[in-house]
Amino acid sequence: MYEKKIPENLDCGISIAIKVLGGKWKAWIIDKINIGVRRPSELHRDIYLASPRVVNMHLKELEDMGIIYKKTYHEIPLRVEYYLTALGESVLPVIAAMEKWGNEQREHFDQAVSL
Amino acid sequence: MYEKKIPENLDCGISIAIKVLGGKWKAWIIDKINIGVRRPSELHRDIYLASPRVVNMHLKELEDMGIIYKKTYHEIPLRVEYYLTALGESVLPVIAAMEKWGNEQREHFDQAVSL
DNA sequence: TCAGCGGGGGAAAATTTTATCCCTATTGGT
DNA sequence: ACCAATAGGGATAAAATTTTCCCCCGCTGA
C-alpha cells in the first residue's frame, strides 16, 4: 500500500471531514450504501463513472476508518454487503448538507467557468 | 495553468461541494477570510503549514468560482483584501457542519489507524 | 474445458495536486 | 545601493490520487 511521505495534519475538524469525504467518490459511496446499494458489484454498476478499482480502494479505506463494515456471506456465489457503522451514520447529515448546497448552487457552476 | 484531461462530473451536488471544499486548504481559507483574515500575507502567516504558493492558487480558484472576491487598494505598500461573496457565505454552514462533525469524532481518529 | 460471475489486489502508468525554488514589480527605510 | 515588505507567478519536482491492465481464487453451467 502507498505510504504517505508528508505527515497529515488533523488539527481542525475540517481536515478530518475531508479525510473521510474528500476522496473522489467517498461521499457518493457512503450515500449509496446508506440508500441500500450494498454489494460491491452493485456499487460498481451504480457508480459506473468510477473505475471499480478505486471503488474497492475507497471501500477499504472507509472500512479501515470505521465508517462502514463488511458482512461476508459464505454462500455460493459469494456475497458481500457493506453497512454503515454508527460513525458512518453520524456523517450522513454532513453529506446531506454538501449535497443540498451543491444542488442549490448547481446553476451557478453550470454557467461559471468550466474549471 | 494546468489543463484537466479528464472531464469533470458535476452530476450530483456532492461533486460540486467537493470541488469547492475538497482542496487541501480551501475550507480553511474560506473560514479564515470569514473570520477576518483577509490579506494574503496574513493568510500565509496564519496557514503557515501550507506553502504560500498553494494558498495563492486556492485563492485564485475560489475567486474564479465566485466564492470570494478581491479588493485591491492602490496604496503603498500595496494592499489586497479578500471577502466572501454571497455564494461564499452560503457555503459557511456546510463548512461548519464538517468542522463540527470532525471535532466530535476527533477522538476516534486519533486512536484509529494513522492512515 | 472454457467462459463467466462473484470478490479482490499487484504493478505501473496517467493524471492531478501540492511543494520548492526563484523570479517579477513597487516603494520606503537605512 | 541594498534590503525589507507587499502581492504575485513561471518552471519544475515531488507527492498523492486515480486509471488501466491483468492477474488470483471458488464455483457454476454449457
Side-chain angles (χ1 to χ4, degrees), chain B residues 33-98:
Chain B
I33 291 179
N34 179 238
I35 288 175
V37 186
R38 318 200 158 286
R39 304 184 61 180
S41 50
E42 286 178 329
L43 288 163
H44 293 333
R45 276 191 293 268
D46 205 281
I47 314 178
Y48 63 94
L49 285 170
S51 65
R53 189 82 170 78
V54 179
V55 173
N56 287 342
M57 290 189 303
H58 280 179
L59 285 169
K60 182 78 169 60
E61 280 178 59
L62 291 170
E63 195 190 350
D64 289 344
M65 289 191 289
I67 303 291
I68 61 178
Y69 67 95
K70 175 162 70 168
K71 255 191 188 170
T72 304
Y73 298 84
H74 296 284
E75 304 174 352
I76 298 310
L78 184 57
R79 187 154 61 98
V80 167
E81 289 182 350
Y82 288 98
Y83 292 85
L84 296 185
T85 62
L87 179 60
E89 286 182 6
S90 75
V91 84
L92 289 175
V94 181
I95 295 180
M98 294 170 68

Side-chain angles (χ1 to χ4, degrees), chain A residues 1 4 6-25 27-28 31 49 61 64-67 87 90-95 97-103 105-106 108-110 112-115, chain B residues 1 4 6-25 27-28 31 49 61 64-67 87 90-95 97-103 105-106 108-110 112-115:
Chain A
M1 195 176 175
K4 281 206 166 56
I6 294 182
E8 281 189 286
N9 142 263
L10 266 45
D11 284 356
C12 67
I14 293 174
S15 326
I16 295 178
I18 288 194
K19 179 184 183 58
V20 174
L21 302 176
K24 193 162 179 180
W25 309 96
W28 199 338
D31 187 50
L49 286 169
E61 280 177 60
D64 289 344
M65 290 191 289
I67 303 290
L87 179 60
S90 74
V91 85
L92 290 175
V94 181
I95 296 180
M98 293 170 69
E99 170 80 29
K100 180 164 173 289
W101 180 84
N103 282 326
Q105 315 302 334
R106 152 152 316 104
H108 169 80
F109 286 93
D110 281 347
V113 227
S114 54
L115 282 170
Chain B
M1 195 175 172
K4 281 204 164 55
I6 295 181
E8 282 188 286
N9 144 263
L10 265 46
D11 283 356
C12 68
I14 293 174
S15 327
I16 295 179
I18 288 194
K19 178 183 183 58
V20 175
L21 302 176
K24 192 161 178 183
W25 308 97
W28 199 337
D31 187 51
L49 285 170
E61 280 178 59
D64 289 344
M65 289 191 289
I67 303 291
L87 179 60
S90 75
V91 84
L92 289 175
V94 181
I95 295 180
M98 294 170 68
E99 170 80 30
K100 179 164 173 292
W101 180 83
N103 283 325
Q105 315 302 335
R106 173 188 311 288
H108 168 81
F109 286 92
D110 281 348
V113 224
S114 54
L115 281 171

